[in-house]
Short mmCIF file of all heavy atoms in Angstrom, two decimals:
data_model
loop_
_atom_site.label_atom_id
_atom_site.label_comp_id
_atom_site.label_asym_id
_atom_site.label_seq_id
_atom_site.Cartn_x
_atom_site.Cartn_y
_atom_site.Cartn_z
N MET A 17 -2.16 -9.20 -19.37
CA MET A 17 -0.94 -8.85 -18.66
C MET A 17 -1.20 -7.62 -17.81
O MET A 17 -1.77 -6.64 -18.28
CB MET A 17 0.18 -8.54 -19.66
CG MET A 17 0.49 -9.72 -20.56
SD MET A 17 1.93 -10.61 -20.05
CE MET A 17 3.22 -9.61 -20.75
N THR A 18 -0.80 -7.68 -16.58
CA THR A 18 -0.95 -6.53 -15.68
C THR A 18 0.36 -6.30 -14.93
O THR A 18 1.16 -7.23 -14.79
CB THR A 18 -2.06 -6.76 -14.65
OG1 THR A 18 -1.76 -7.93 -13.90
CG2 THR A 18 -3.42 -6.90 -15.31
N THR A 19 0.54 -5.10 -14.49
CA THR A 19 1.72 -4.75 -13.70
C THR A 19 1.42 -4.98 -12.24
O THR A 19 0.45 -4.45 -11.70
CB THR A 19 2.10 -3.27 -13.93
OG1 THR A 19 2.39 -3.09 -15.32
CG2 THR A 19 3.33 -2.91 -13.10
N ARG A 20 2.23 -5.79 -11.58
CA ARG A 20 2.05 -6.02 -10.15
C ARG A 20 2.77 -4.94 -9.38
O ARG A 20 3.81 -4.45 -9.80
CB ARG A 20 2.59 -7.39 -9.74
CG ARG A 20 1.90 -8.56 -10.38
CD ARG A 20 0.41 -8.63 -10.07
NE ARG A 20 0.08 -8.70 -8.67
CZ ARG A 20 -0.02 -9.84 -7.98
NH1 ARG A 20 0.24 -10.99 -8.55
NH2 ARG A 20 -0.37 -9.82 -6.70
N LEU A 21 2.19 -4.58 -8.25
CA LEU A 21 2.76 -3.53 -7.41
C LEU A 21 3.20 -4.14 -6.08
O LEU A 21 2.48 -4.94 -5.49
CB LEU A 21 1.73 -2.45 -7.14
CG LEU A 21 1.19 -1.71 -8.36
CD1 LEU A 21 0.07 -0.74 -7.95
CD2 LEU A 21 2.30 -0.93 -9.07
N ARG A 22 4.38 -3.75 -5.63
CA ARG A 22 4.86 -4.18 -4.32
C ARG A 22 4.80 -2.98 -3.36
O ARG A 22 5.24 -1.89 -3.69
CB ARG A 22 6.27 -4.75 -4.38
CG ARG A 22 6.66 -5.45 -3.08
CD ARG A 22 8.00 -6.18 -3.20
NE ARG A 22 8.00 -7.24 -4.17
CZ ARG A 22 7.55 -8.49 -3.94
NH1 ARG A 22 7.04 -8.81 -2.76
NH2 ARG A 22 7.59 -9.41 -4.89
N ILE A 23 4.25 -3.24 -2.18
CA ILE A 23 4.06 -2.18 -1.18
C ILE A 23 5.37 -1.94 -0.42
O ILE A 23 6.01 -2.89 0.02
CB ILE A 23 2.96 -2.60 -0.19
CG1 ILE A 23 1.64 -2.80 -0.93
CG2 ILE A 23 2.81 -1.56 0.94
CD1 ILE A 23 0.59 -3.57 -0.10
N ARG A 24 5.69 -0.68 -0.29
CA ARG A 24 6.82 -0.29 0.56
C ARG A 24 6.30 0.69 1.61
O ARG A 24 5.66 1.68 1.27
CB ARG A 24 7.92 0.40 -0.27
CG ARG A 24 8.53 -0.50 -1.32
CD ARG A 24 9.22 -1.70 -0.72
NE ARG A 24 9.81 -2.56 -1.73
CZ ARG A 24 10.22 -3.79 -1.50
NH1 ARG A 24 10.10 -4.31 -0.29
NH2 ARG A 24 10.74 -4.53 -2.45
N VAL A 25 6.56 0.38 2.85
CA VAL A 25 6.13 1.25 3.96
C VAL A 25 7.40 1.71 4.68
O VAL A 25 8.18 0.88 5.16
CB VAL A 25 5.21 0.52 4.94
CG1 VAL A 25 4.80 1.45 6.08
CG2 VAL A 25 3.98 -0.01 4.23
N ALA A 26 7.61 3.00 4.73
CA ALA A 26 8.78 3.57 5.43
C ALA A 26 8.52 3.53 6.93
O ALA A 26 7.66 4.25 7.44
CB ALA A 26 9.05 4.98 4.96
N ALA A 27 9.28 2.70 7.62
CA ALA A 27 9.05 2.52 9.05
C ALA A 27 9.29 3.79 9.84
O ALA A 27 8.71 4.01 10.90
CB ALA A 27 9.98 1.41 9.57
N ASP A 28 10.15 4.66 9.32
CA ASP A 28 10.46 5.89 10.05
C ASP A 28 9.40 6.97 9.81
O ASP A 28 9.41 8.00 10.45
CB ASP A 28 11.84 6.43 9.65
CG ASP A 28 11.97 6.65 8.16
OD1 ASP A 28 11.27 5.99 7.38
OD2 ASP A 28 12.79 7.51 7.77
N LEU A 29 8.47 6.72 8.87
CA LEU A 29 7.42 7.70 8.59
C LEU A 29 6.06 7.27 9.10
O LEU A 29 5.25 8.11 9.49
CB LEU A 29 7.34 7.96 7.07
CG LEU A 29 8.56 8.63 6.45
CD1 LEU A 29 8.35 8.78 4.93
CD2 LEU A 29 8.84 9.98 7.07
N CYS A 30 5.76 5.98 9.06
CA CYS A 30 4.45 5.52 9.49
C CYS A 30 4.28 5.71 10.99
O CYS A 30 5.08 5.24 11.78
CB CYS A 30 4.25 4.04 9.14
SG CYS A 30 2.67 3.40 9.74
N CYS A 31 3.22 6.45 11.35
CA CYS A 31 2.98 6.68 12.78
C CYS A 31 1.52 6.43 13.13
O CYS A 31 1.00 6.97 14.11
CB CYS A 31 3.41 8.09 13.17
SG CYS A 31 2.67 9.38 12.17
N GLY A 32 0.86 5.61 12.32
CA GLY A 32 -0.45 5.10 12.71
C GLY A 32 -1.65 5.98 12.43
O GLY A 32 -2.60 5.94 13.21
N HIS A 33 -1.63 6.70 11.33
CA HIS A 33 -2.81 7.52 10.99
C HIS A 33 -4.04 6.69 10.58
O HIS A 33 -5.15 7.20 10.59
CB HIS A 33 -2.48 8.50 9.86
CG HIS A 33 -1.63 9.66 10.29
ND1 HIS A 33 -2.11 10.66 11.09
CD2 HIS A 33 -0.33 9.96 10.03
CE1 HIS A 33 -1.14 11.56 11.31
NE2 HIS A 33 -0.04 11.14 10.67
N HIS A 34 -3.82 5.46 10.15
CA HIS A 34 -4.88 4.52 9.78
C HIS A 34 -5.61 4.88 8.48
O HIS A 34 -6.51 4.18 8.08
CB HIS A 34 -5.95 4.40 10.89
CG HIS A 34 -5.53 3.51 12.01
ND1 HIS A 34 -4.68 3.93 13.00
CD2 HIS A 34 -5.85 2.23 12.29
CE1 HIS A 34 -4.49 2.94 13.87
NE2 HIS A 34 -5.17 1.91 13.46
N ARG A 35 -5.27 5.96 7.85
CA ARG A 35 -6.03 6.36 6.66
C ARG A 35 -5.86 5.35 5.51
O ARG A 35 -6.78 5.14 4.73
CB ARG A 35 -5.64 7.77 6.20
CG ARG A 35 -6.14 8.83 7.17
CD ARG A 35 -5.88 10.23 6.67
NE ARG A 35 -6.42 10.52 5.34
CZ ARG A 35 -7.69 10.80 5.10
NH1 ARG A 35 -8.56 10.81 6.08
NH2 ARG A 35 -8.09 11.06 3.87
N CYS A 36 -4.69 4.73 5.43
CA CYS A 36 -4.49 3.72 4.39
C CYS A 36 -5.52 2.62 4.51
O CYS A 36 -6.18 2.24 3.55
CB CYS A 36 -3.07 3.18 4.48
SG CYS A 36 -2.61 2.61 6.15
N MET A 37 -5.68 2.12 5.71
CA MET A 37 -6.60 1.00 5.95
C MET A 37 -8.06 1.44 5.83
O MET A 37 -8.90 0.69 5.32
CB MET A 37 -6.36 0.41 7.33
CG MET A 37 -7.17 -0.83 7.63
SD MET A 37 -6.78 -1.54 9.24
CE MET A 37 -7.53 -0.35 10.33
N GLU A 38 -8.36 2.65 6.27
CA GLU A 38 -9.74 3.12 6.20
C GLU A 38 -10.19 3.29 4.76
O GLU A 38 -11.34 3.01 4.42
CB GLU A 38 -9.87 4.45 6.95
CG GLU A 38 -9.74 4.29 8.45
CD GLU A 38 -9.61 5.62 9.17
OE1 GLU A 38 -9.71 6.67 8.54
OE2 GLU A 38 -9.39 5.59 10.39
N LEU A 39 -9.30 3.75 3.89
CA LEU A 39 -9.68 4.04 2.51
C LEU A 39 -9.41 2.87 1.56
O LEU A 39 -10.01 2.82 0.49
CB LEU A 39 -8.94 5.29 2.01
CG LEU A 39 -9.35 6.56 2.76
CD1 LEU A 39 -8.51 7.75 2.32
CD2 LEU A 39 -10.83 6.87 2.57
N ALA A 40 -8.57 1.97 1.96
CA ALA A 40 -8.28 0.80 1.09
C ALA A 40 -8.15 -0.46 1.98
O ALA A 40 -7.10 -1.07 2.05
CB ALA A 40 -7.00 1.03 0.30
N PRO A 41 -9.23 -0.86 2.62
CA PRO A 41 -9.16 -2.01 3.53
C PRO A 41 -8.91 -3.33 2.81
O PRO A 41 -8.57 -4.33 3.45
CB PRO A 41 -10.54 -2.00 4.21
CG PRO A 41 -11.44 -1.30 3.25
CD PRO A 41 -10.59 -0.27 2.58
N ASP A 42 -9.07 -3.35 1.49
CA ASP A 42 -8.79 -4.56 0.73
C ASP A 42 -7.30 -4.75 0.49
O ASP A 42 -6.88 -5.81 0.03
CB ASP A 42 -9.54 -4.54 -0.61
CG ASP A 42 -9.30 -3.25 -1.40
OD1 ASP A 42 -8.96 -2.21 -0.78
OD2 ASP A 42 -9.44 -3.29 -2.64
N VAL A 43 -6.51 -3.72 0.82
CA VAL A 43 -5.07 -3.79 0.56
C VAL A 43 -4.25 -3.67 1.85
O VAL A 43 -3.32 -4.43 2.06
CB VAL A 43 -4.64 -2.66 -0.41
CG1 VAL A 43 -3.12 -2.68 -0.62
CG2 VAL A 43 -5.37 -2.80 -1.74
N TYR A 44 -4.64 -2.71 2.71
CA TYR A 44 -3.80 -2.41 3.86
C TYR A 44 -4.44 -2.82 5.18
O TYR A 44 -5.66 -2.83 5.30
CB TYR A 44 -3.52 -0.89 3.91
CG TYR A 44 -2.88 -0.37 2.67
CD1 TYR A 44 -3.57 0.47 1.81
CD2 TYR A 44 -1.56 -0.70 2.36
CE1 TYR A 44 -2.98 0.95 0.64
CE2 TYR A 44 -0.96 -0.24 1.20
CZ TYR A 44 -1.68 0.60 0.34
OH TYR A 44 -1.09 1.05 -0.81
N GLU A 45 -3.59 -3.10 6.13
CA GLU A 45 -4.03 -3.27 7.51
C GLU A 45 -3.08 -2.51 8.41
O GLU A 45 -1.95 -2.18 8.02
CB GLU A 45 -4.10 -4.74 7.90
CG GLU A 45 -2.76 -5.47 7.83
CD GLU A 45 -2.93 -6.93 8.22
OE1 GLU A 45 -4.04 -7.43 8.30
OE2 GLU A 45 -1.89 -7.57 8.47
N VAL A 46 -3.54 -2.19 9.58
CA VAL A 46 -2.70 -1.51 10.55
C VAL A 46 -2.76 -2.33 11.84
O VAL A 46 -3.84 -2.68 12.33
CB VAL A 46 -3.19 -0.07 10.81
CG1 VAL A 46 -2.32 0.61 11.89
CG2 VAL A 46 -3.14 0.75 9.52
N VAL A 47 -1.60 -2.68 12.34
CA VAL A 47 -1.52 -3.51 13.54
C VAL A 47 -0.66 -2.78 14.58
O VAL A 47 0.49 -2.42 14.29
CB VAL A 47 -0.88 -4.88 13.23
CG1 VAL A 47 -0.75 -5.72 14.48
CG2 VAL A 47 -1.69 -5.61 12.15
N GLY A 48 -1.24 -2.53 15.73
CA GLY A 48 -0.49 -1.86 16.78
C GLY A 48 -0.02 -0.47 16.38
O GLY A 48 1.06 -0.05 16.79
N GLY A 49 -0.83 0.21 15.55
CA GLY A 49 -0.47 1.57 15.15
C GLY A 49 0.58 1.64 14.06
O GLY A 49 1.22 2.68 13.86
N PHE A 50 0.74 0.54 13.33
CA PHE A 50 1.74 0.52 12.28
C PHE A 50 1.25 -0.32 11.11
O PHE A 50 0.61 -1.36 11.30
CB PHE A 50 3.06 -0.08 12.82
CG PHE A 50 4.17 -0.12 11.81
CD1 PHE A 50 4.84 1.03 11.43
CD2 PHE A 50 4.53 -1.33 11.21
CE1 PHE A 50 5.86 0.99 10.48
CE2 PHE A 50 5.54 -1.38 10.27
CZ PHE A 50 6.21 -0.22 9.91
N ASN A 51 1.54 0.14 9.91
CA ASN A 51 1.20 -0.59 8.69
C ASN A 51 2.30 -1.61 8.41
O ASN A 51 3.42 -1.24 8.08
CB ASN A 51 1.07 0.40 7.52
CG ASN A 51 0.70 -0.28 6.21
OD1 ASN A 51 1.04 -1.43 5.99
ND2 ASN A 51 0.05 0.47 5.34
N PRO A 52 2.01 -2.91 8.56
CA PRO A 52 3.04 -3.93 8.44
C PRO A 52 3.16 -4.54 7.05
O PRO A 52 3.73 -5.63 6.90
CB PRO A 52 2.54 -4.99 9.44
CG PRO A 52 1.06 -4.95 9.26
CD PRO A 52 0.71 -3.48 8.98
N MET A 53 2.64 -3.85 6.04
CA MET A 53 2.53 -4.44 4.72
C MET A 53 3.79 -4.31 3.85
O MET A 53 3.78 -4.67 2.69
CB MET A 53 1.33 -3.84 3.97
CG MET A 53 0.01 -3.94 4.71
SD MET A 53 -0.50 -5.65 5.02
CE MET A 53 -0.90 -6.18 3.37
N ASP A 54 4.85 -3.77 4.42
CA ASP A 54 6.08 -3.58 3.62
C ASP A 54 6.52 -4.91 2.99
O ASP A 54 6.62 -5.93 3.68
CB ASP A 54 7.20 -3.05 4.52
CG ASP A 54 8.46 -2.77 3.75
OD1 ASP A 54 8.41 -1.94 2.83
OD2 ASP A 54 9.50 -3.40 4.06
N GLY A 55 6.73 -4.88 1.70
CA GLY A 55 7.20 -6.07 0.99
C GLY A 55 6.09 -6.92 0.39
O GLY A 55 6.38 -7.83 -0.39
N CYS A 56 4.84 -6.64 0.75
CA CYS A 56 3.73 -7.44 0.23
C CYS A 56 3.36 -7.01 -1.19
O CYS A 56 3.45 -5.84 -1.54
CB CYS A 56 2.50 -7.29 1.13
SG CYS A 56 2.71 -7.96 2.79
N LEU A 57 2.87 -7.94 -1.97
CA LEU A 57 2.33 -7.62 -3.29
C LEU A 57 0.88 -7.20 -3.17
O LEU A 57 0.10 -7.78 -2.39
CB LEU A 57 2.41 -8.84 -4.20
CG LEU A 57 3.74 -9.12 -4.89
CD1 LEU A 57 3.66 -10.46 -5.61
CD2 LEU A 57 4.12 -8.02 -5.85
N VAL A 58 0.51 -6.20 -3.95
CA VAL A 58 -0.89 -5.78 -4.00
C VAL A 58 -1.69 -6.88 -4.70
O VAL A 58 -1.27 -7.40 -5.75
CB VAL A 58 -1.01 -4.46 -4.80
CG1 VAL A 58 -2.47 -4.12 -5.05
CG2 VAL A 58 -0.31 -3.32 -4.04
N PRO A 59 -2.82 -7.28 -4.13
CA PRO A 59 -3.64 -8.31 -4.80
C PRO A 59 -4.04 -7.87 -6.20
O PRO A 59 -4.31 -6.69 -6.43
CB PRO A 59 -4.87 -8.42 -3.89
CG PRO A 59 -4.42 -7.91 -2.57
CD PRO A 59 -3.42 -6.84 -2.85
N ALA A 60 -4.05 -8.82 -7.11
CA ALA A 60 -4.43 -8.51 -8.49
C ALA A 60 -5.83 -7.89 -8.51
O ALA A 60 -6.75 -8.35 -7.84
CB ALA A 60 -4.41 -9.79 -9.33
N GLY A 61 -5.94 -6.79 -9.22
CA GLY A 61 -7.22 -6.10 -9.34
C GLY A 61 -7.43 -5.00 -8.30
O GLY A 61 -8.39 -4.26 -8.39
N ALA A 62 -6.53 -4.91 -7.34
CA ALA A 62 -6.67 -3.92 -6.27
C ALA A 62 -5.67 -2.77 -6.43
O ALA A 62 -5.44 -2.02 -5.49
CB ALA A 62 -6.50 -4.58 -4.92
N GLU A 63 -5.11 -2.62 -7.63
CA GLU A 63 -4.06 -1.61 -7.83
C GLU A 63 -4.58 -0.19 -7.59
O GLU A 63 -3.91 0.64 -6.97
CB GLU A 63 -3.49 -1.73 -9.25
CG GLU A 63 -2.69 -2.99 -9.50
CD GLU A 63 -3.56 -4.20 -9.86
OE1 GLU A 63 -4.80 -4.06 -9.99
OE2 GLU A 63 -2.99 -5.30 -10.03
N GLU A 64 -5.78 0.11 -8.09
CA GLU A 64 -6.33 1.44 -7.93
C GLU A 64 -6.58 1.75 -6.46
O GLU A 64 -6.28 2.84 -5.96
CB GLU A 64 -7.64 1.59 -8.72
CG GLU A 64 -8.16 3.01 -8.74
CD GLU A 64 -9.37 3.15 -9.66
OE1 GLU A 64 -9.58 2.29 -10.55
OE2 GLU A 64 -10.11 4.14 -9.50
N SER A 65 -7.10 0.78 -5.74
CA SER A 65 -7.34 0.93 -4.32
C SER A 65 -6.02 1.15 -3.57
O SER A 65 -5.91 2.00 -2.67
CB SER A 65 -8.06 -0.30 -3.79
OG SER A 65 -8.34 -0.18 -2.42
N ALA A 66 -5.00 0.42 -3.97
CA ALA A 66 -3.69 0.55 -3.32
C ALA A 66 -3.13 1.95 -3.50
O ALA A 66 -2.57 2.55 -2.56
CB ALA A 66 -2.72 -0.47 -3.90
N ARG A 67 -3.29 2.50 -4.70
CA ARG A 67 -2.80 3.86 -4.96
C ARG A 67 -3.61 4.88 -4.17
O ARG A 67 -3.06 5.85 -3.64
CB ARG A 67 -2.87 4.18 -6.45
CG ARG A 67 -1.85 3.40 -7.28
CD ARG A 67 -1.77 3.92 -8.71
NE ARG A 67 -0.71 3.27 -9.46
CZ ARG A 67 -0.87 2.25 -10.27
NH1 ARG A 67 -2.08 1.75 -10.46
NH2 ARG A 67 0.16 1.72 -10.92
N TYR A 68 -4.90 4.67 -4.09
CA TYR A 68 -5.77 5.56 -3.33
C TYR A 68 -5.37 5.60 -1.87
O TYR A 68 -5.23 6.67 -1.26
CB TYR A 68 -7.21 5.06 -3.49
CG TYR A 68 -8.28 5.94 -2.93
CD1 TYR A 68 -8.36 7.29 -3.26
CD2 TYR A 68 -9.25 5.41 -2.08
CE1 TYR A 68 -9.37 8.10 -2.74
CE2 TYR A 68 -10.26 6.21 -1.56
CZ TYR A 68 -10.32 7.54 -1.89
OH TYR A 68 -11.31 8.32 -1.38
N GLY A 69 -5.16 4.46 -1.28
CA GLY A 69 -4.77 4.38 0.12
C GLY A 69 -3.37 4.96 0.34
O GLY A 69 -3.14 5.63 1.36
N ALA A 70 -2.46 4.72 -0.58
CA ALA A 70 -1.11 5.27 -0.43
C ALA A 70 -1.13 6.79 -0.50
O ALA A 70 -0.47 7.47 0.28
CB ALA A 70 -0.20 4.69 -1.52
N ASP A 71 -1.90 7.32 -1.43
CA ASP A 71 -1.99 8.78 -1.58
C ASP A 71 -2.61 9.43 -0.36
O ASP A 71 -2.40 10.60 -0.09
CB ASP A 71 -2.79 9.14 -2.82
CG ASP A 71 -2.05 8.83 -4.11
OD1 ASP A 71 -0.82 8.58 -4.05
OD2 ASP A 71 -2.69 8.83 -5.18
N ALA A 72 -3.42 8.66 0.39
CA ALA A 72 -4.13 9.22 1.53
C ALA A 72 -3.25 9.32 2.78
O ALA A 72 -3.64 9.96 3.75
CB ALA A 72 -5.35 8.36 1.85
N CYS A 73 -2.09 8.71 2.77
CA CYS A 73 -1.24 8.76 3.95
C CYS A 73 -0.64 10.15 4.11
O CYS A 73 0.12 10.60 3.23
CB CYS A 73 -0.11 7.72 3.87
SG CYS A 73 1.03 7.86 5.27
N PRO A 74 -0.94 10.83 5.19
CA PRO A 74 -0.44 12.20 5.37
C PRO A 74 1.07 12.29 5.55
O PRO A 74 1.65 13.34 5.39
CB PRO A 74 -1.19 12.72 6.60
CG PRO A 74 -1.68 11.52 7.30
CD PRO A 74 -1.83 10.43 6.29
N GLU A 75 1.70 11.16 5.87
CA GLU A 75 3.16 11.15 6.05
C GLU A 75 3.90 10.74 4.78
O GLU A 75 5.13 10.76 4.75
CB GLU A 75 3.55 10.17 7.17
CG GLU A 75 2.84 10.42 8.50
CD GLU A 75 3.17 11.77 9.10
OE1 GLU A 75 4.27 12.29 8.84
OE2 GLU A 75 2.32 12.32 9.84
N GLY A 76 3.16 10.33 3.75
CA GLY A 76 3.82 9.85 2.55
C GLY A 76 4.61 8.57 2.82
O GLY A 76 5.65 8.34 2.18
N ALA A 77 4.13 7.76 3.74
CA ALA A 77 4.90 6.59 4.17
C ALA A 77 4.83 5.43 3.19
O ALA A 77 5.69 4.54 3.24
CB ALA A 77 4.41 6.12 5.53
N ILE A 78 3.83 5.42 2.30
CA ILE A 78 3.63 4.28 1.42
C ILE A 78 4.06 4.62 -0.01
O ILE A 78 3.63 5.63 -0.56
CB ILE A 78 2.16 3.84 1.40
CG1 ILE A 78 1.69 3.51 2.81
CG2 ILE A 78 1.98 2.64 0.48
CD1 ILE A 78 0.19 3.27 2.90
N THR A 79 4.89 3.77 -0.58
CA THR A 79 5.18 3.86 -2.00
C THR A 79 4.88 2.50 -2.62
O THR A 79 4.84 1.47 -1.94
CB THR A 79 6.64 4.24 -2.27
OG1 THR A 79 7.50 3.34 -1.57
CG2 THR A 79 6.93 5.66 -1.82
N LEU A 80 4.66 2.50 -3.91
CA LEU A 80 4.31 1.29 -4.65
C LEU A 80 5.31 1.09 -5.77
O LEU A 80 5.41 1.91 -6.66
CB LEU A 80 2.88 1.39 -5.19
CG LEU A 80 1.81 1.56 -4.11
CD1 LEU A 80 0.48 1.95 -4.75
CD2 LEU A 80 1.64 0.29 -3.31
N ASP A 81 6.06 0.00 -5.69
CA ASP A 81 7.05 -0.32 -6.72
C ASP A 81 6.44 -1.21 -7.77
O ASP A 81 5.80 -2.22 -7.45
CB ASP A 81 8.25 -1.07 -6.08
CG ASP A 81 9.09 -0.19 -5.18
OD1 ASP A 81 8.95 1.06 -5.28
OD2 ASP A 81 9.87 -0.73 -4.40
N GLU A 82 6.66 -0.86 -9.02
CA GLU A 82 6.18 -1.70 -10.12
C GLU A 82 7.11 -2.90 -10.26
O GLU A 82 8.31 -2.76 -10.36
CB GLU A 82 6.09 -0.90 -11.39
CG GLU A 82 5.05 0.21 -11.32
CD GLU A 82 4.73 0.82 -12.66
OE1 GLU A 82 5.38 0.43 -13.66
OE2 GLU A 82 3.85 1.68 -12.71
N GLU A 83 6.50 -4.09 -10.28
CA GLU A 83 7.27 -5.33 -10.31
C GLU A 83 7.38 -5.92 -11.70
O GLU A 83 7.91 -7.00 -11.86
CB GLU A 83 6.60 -6.36 -9.40
CG GLU A 83 6.76 -6.06 -7.92
CD GLU A 83 8.11 -6.52 -7.40
OE1 GLU A 83 8.46 -7.69 -7.61
OE2 GLU A 83 8.79 -5.70 -6.78
N GLY A 84 6.85 -5.23 -12.70
CA GLY A 84 6.86 -5.80 -14.03
C GLY A 84 5.54 -6.48 -14.34
O GLY A 84 4.66 -6.55 -13.47
N GLU A 85 5.42 -6.98 -15.54
CA GLU A 85 4.14 -7.52 -15.96
C GLU A 85 4.07 -9.03 -15.71
O GLU A 85 5.07 -9.75 -15.83
CB GLU A 85 3.90 -7.23 -17.43
CG GLU A 85 3.74 -5.74 -17.68
CD GLU A 85 3.31 -5.44 -19.10
OE1 GLU A 85 3.52 -6.27 -19.98
OE2 GLU A 85 2.73 -4.36 -19.30
N VAL A 86 2.90 -9.48 -15.33
CA VAL A 86 2.66 -10.89 -15.14
C VAL A 86 1.43 -11.28 -15.95
O VAL A 86 0.61 -10.45 -16.31
CB VAL A 86 2.42 -11.25 -13.65
CG1 VAL A 86 3.70 -10.98 -12.86
CG2 VAL A 86 1.27 -10.46 -13.09
N GLU A 87 1.34 -12.55 -16.28
CA GLU A 87 0.20 -13.06 -17.05
C GLU A 87 -1.06 -12.93 -16.24
O GLU A 87 -1.09 -13.18 -15.07
CB GLU A 87 0.42 -14.51 -17.43
CG GLU A 87 1.60 -14.73 -18.36
CD GLU A 87 1.31 -14.30 -19.78
OE1 GLU A 87 0.13 -14.32 -20.15
OE2 GLU A 87 2.25 -13.99 -20.52
FE1 LIG B 169 0.91 4.59 8.61
FE2 LIG B 169 0.18 6.35 6.81
FE3 LIG B 169 -1.26 4.22 7.17
S1 LIG B 169 1.05 6.83 8.82
S2 LIG B 169 -1.00 3.67 9.33
S3 LIG B 169 0.85 4.26 6.41
S4 LIG B 169 -2.02 6.26 6.78
#
């Protein structure tokens, strides 16, 4: 059982620093200077990478919501 994480990107804070994608390319992408991953689930096994990339955002634009445990 693992806890799934859902990505939340604050549209009013993301301004295209790209650090999320550079440090966690297995989780995030940036398109047109914006991280479009709001609402996506973090792939199983990539939770640590997702947290690393979120913490690297200088605007604090990314948060990760715990979705509960799945098999
Ligand atoms: Fe946006 Fe932060 Fe990534 S500003 S592009 S979420 S590093």
Side-chain angles (χ1 to χ4, degrees):
M17 300 260 278
T18 58
T19 300
R20 297 301 302 272
L21 299 175
R22 191 172 297 277
I23 299 164
R24 298 297 180 194
V25 180
D28 57 334
L29 295 178
C30 176
C31 54
H33 285 290
H34 282 79
R35 290 185 56 78
C36 52
M37 185 177 72
E38 290 169 5
L39 295 175
D42 53 335
V43 177
Y44 303 110
E45 61 181 13
V46 178
V47 178
F50 181 74
N51 180 331
M53 304 299 290
D54 183 60
C56 294
L57 278 173
V58 172
E63 292 83 3
E64 187 174 341
S65 182
R67 290 190 174 98
Y68 187 52
D71 289 346
C73 175
E75 306 298 332
I78 303 172
T79 54
L80 299 168
D81 290 344
E82 295 193 356
E83 287 279 308
E85 294 188 338
V86 295
E87 295 285 334

